[in-house]
């Protein structure tokens, strides 16, 4: 079952999306985060840890991947 809040909190805690504010997420991104599997979150976390990169929103609140 999708769990946006648990996935969002895990991505924030692991520094994958350090600067992303929940209130500004487009619905499509909200849904994508909600539907991430544990394996997908692990991949994003691993990339972030190894490269120091992260995902953020630009000034227009569009999602930009820093990987």
């Amino acid at each position: 079952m999708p769990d946006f809040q648990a996935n969002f909190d895990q991505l924030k805690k692991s520094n994958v999306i350090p600067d992303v504010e929940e209130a500004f997420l487009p619905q499509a991104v909200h849904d994508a985060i909600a539907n991430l599997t544990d394996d997908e979150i692990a991949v994003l976390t691993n990339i972030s840890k190894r490269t120091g990169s992260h995902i953020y929103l630009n000034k227009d609140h569009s999602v930009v991947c820093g990987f």
Side-chain angles (χ1 to χ4, degrees), residues 15-66:
N15 207 36
V16 173
I17 55 172
D19 301 323
V20 174
E21 294 297 325
E22 182 178 342
F24 295 118
L25 289 176
Q27 188 60 47
V29 176
H30 185 282
D31 295 345
I33 290 172
N35 289 303
L36 287 172
T37 66
D38 290 340
D39 289 341
E40 291 168 331
I41 290 174
V43 167
L44 292 171
T45 300
N46 192 30
I47 291 170
S48 179
K49 284 180 182 176
R50 290 178 184 255
T51 67
S53 298
H54 60 273
I55 299 170
Y56 60 95
L57 297 176
N58 68 13
K59 65 181 178 176
D60 298 320
H61 305 298
S62 298
V63 174
V64 178
C65 181

